[in-house]
């Protein structure tokens, strides 16, 4: 199974990807994580991407497509994966179609104010990548690792990222709906990650029948 996880920053794509990985054994490909890995290692791709990431803008398609294309070529035909944070533009979605067949696109619906509230208190574990709330924990509740705040999780950058999502990524909803691939989940309000995941599983089971 090959899935695309679609939703605004902070919609919970990464958290749901971890559940999906555990349940279905799918590999998790996050373009944001790939950029942060490149940045940590000071590669040309990482250094080029940094200025866009810091501004809450999208990294140019050409760079993202090259990096993602290379990653996708590591997978054999029968290996499943989910793409988290890719595609984010129609050009990227068209590029993806030339690389692989996608079985479903899960759209995580959530309102902007919930996102701002969530991301301004988001912390990530340096060791295991678990996402948690900085007001509730000072160490990772799973592995006791050190927590850090992402540079782009400040309110100004969050608002830019949301604007970019509405303008450049939302057209993908129409794109994938027209292809009959869209599976929509309510990920907003006070819904717990486990509740969102139960809806995802239900949708995937239903989609198979
Ligand atoms: P994320 O971790 O998915 O929130 O991504 C962090 C940042 O990486 C984004 O705000 C963009 O600057 C960049 N990025 C990640 N994926 C893409 C993509 N598919 N297209 C363009 N920029 C991306």
């Amino acid at each position: 199974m090959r899935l695309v996880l679609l939703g605004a920053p902070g919609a919970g794509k990464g958290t749901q990807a971890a559940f999906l990985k555990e349940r279905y054994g799918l590999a998790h490909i996050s373009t944001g994580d790939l950029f942060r890995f490149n940045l940590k290692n000071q590669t040309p791709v990482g250094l080029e991407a940094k200025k866009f990431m810091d501004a809450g803008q999208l990294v140019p398609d050409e760079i993202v497509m090259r990096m993602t294309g290379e990653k996708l070529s590591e997978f054999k035909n029968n290996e499943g994966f989910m793409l988290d944070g890719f595609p984010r533009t129609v050009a990227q979605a068209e590029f993806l179609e030339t690389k692989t067949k996608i079985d479903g696109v899960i759209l995580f619906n959530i309102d902007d104010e919930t996102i701002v509230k969530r991301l301004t208190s988001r912390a990530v574990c340096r060791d295991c990548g678990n996402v948690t709330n900085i007001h509730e924990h000072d160490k990772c509740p799973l592995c006791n690792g050190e927590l850090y705040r992402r540079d782009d999780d400040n309110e100004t950058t969050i608002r830019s990222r949301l604007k970019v999502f509405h303008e450049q990524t939302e057209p993908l909803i129409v794109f994938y709906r027209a292809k009959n691939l869209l599976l929509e989940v309510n990920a907003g309000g006070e819904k717990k990650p486990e509740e969102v995941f139960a809806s995802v599983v239900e949708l995937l089971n239903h989609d198979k029948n």
Side-chain angles (χ1 to χ4, degrees):
M1 182 161 58
R2 295 189 164 182
L3 301 173
V4 166
L5 309 185
L6 186 62
K13 300 186 295 295
T15 304
Q16 295 301 317
F19 289 144
L20 283 160
K21 184 173 178 176
E22 199 183 312
R23 170 76 66 104
Y24 298 103
L26 300 176
H28 178 196
I29 306 172
S30 155
T31 41
D33 284 350
L34 288 174
F35 282 130
R36 282 182 287 277
F37 177 81
N38 272 284
L39 187 56
K40 204 169 136 197
N41 291 295
Q42 302 273 298
T43 70
V45 165
L47 296 172
E48 180 61 19
K50 182 178 167 29
K51 49 181 185 257
F52 299 99
M53 294 170 79
D54 285 348
Q57 298 296 318
L58 293 186
V59 176
D61 281 341
E62 182 202 300
I63 300 174
V64 187
M65 291 189 223
R66 199 178 335 120
M67 180 181 77
T68 312
E70 276 169 21
K71 187 77 202 167
L72 291 176
S73 66
E74 292 172 11
F75 289 84
K76 298 196 189 79
N77 279 339
N78 59 348
E79 284 177 303
F81 57 70
M82 63 218 144
L83 285 160
D84 164 3
F86 184 93
R88 263 172 152 106
T89 63
V90 172
Q92 292 179 17
E94 285 168 345
F95 168 81
L96 181 60
E97 286 191 322
T98 69
K99 295 283 163 197
T100 186
K101 180 177 166 293
I102 292 297
D103 302 300
V105 176
I106 305 176
L107 170 65
F108 297 93
N109 281 314
I110 181 166
D111 62 285
D112 286 8
E113 290 319 306
T114 305
I115 285 175
V116 174
K117 214 165 97 191
R118 242 188 221 183
L119 291 188
T120 48
S121 53
R122 174 162 80 173
V124 186
C125 174
R126 239 181 245 294
D127 296 335
C128 73
N130 176 39
V131 173
T132 187
N133 185 316
I134 198 75
H135 303 302
E136 291 170 14
H137 302 280
D138 50 14
K139 288 270 179 194
C140 174
L142 296 186
C143 75
N144 212 31
E146 187 196 345
L147 298 177
Y148 76 99
R149 305 275 336 274
R150 272 174 51 172
D151 288 345
D152 55 356
D153 279 348
N154 63 78
E155 185 160 350
T156 312
T157 312
I158 293 166
R159 299 243 177 233
S160 308
R161 287 155 69 202
L162 280 172
K163 188 162 179 282
V164 165
F165 174 76
H166 293 307
E167 290 174 1
Q168 301 191 52
T169 308
E170 257 176 10
L172 291 179
I173 297 175
V174 173
F175 180 92
Y176 283 124
R177 191 177 281 136
K179 294 178 188 289
N180 223 1
L181 285 174
L182 203 70
L183 305 167
E184 292 191 56
V185 175
N186 173 9
E190 295 305 309
K191 273 194 123 185
K192 292 199 186 79
E194 293 77 10
E195 291 170 326
V196 176
F197 186 59
S199 310
V200 170
V201 171
E202 204 177 305
L203 273 175
L204 289 176
N205 285 341
H206 190 258
D207 195 47
K208 255 191 280 167
N209 303 324

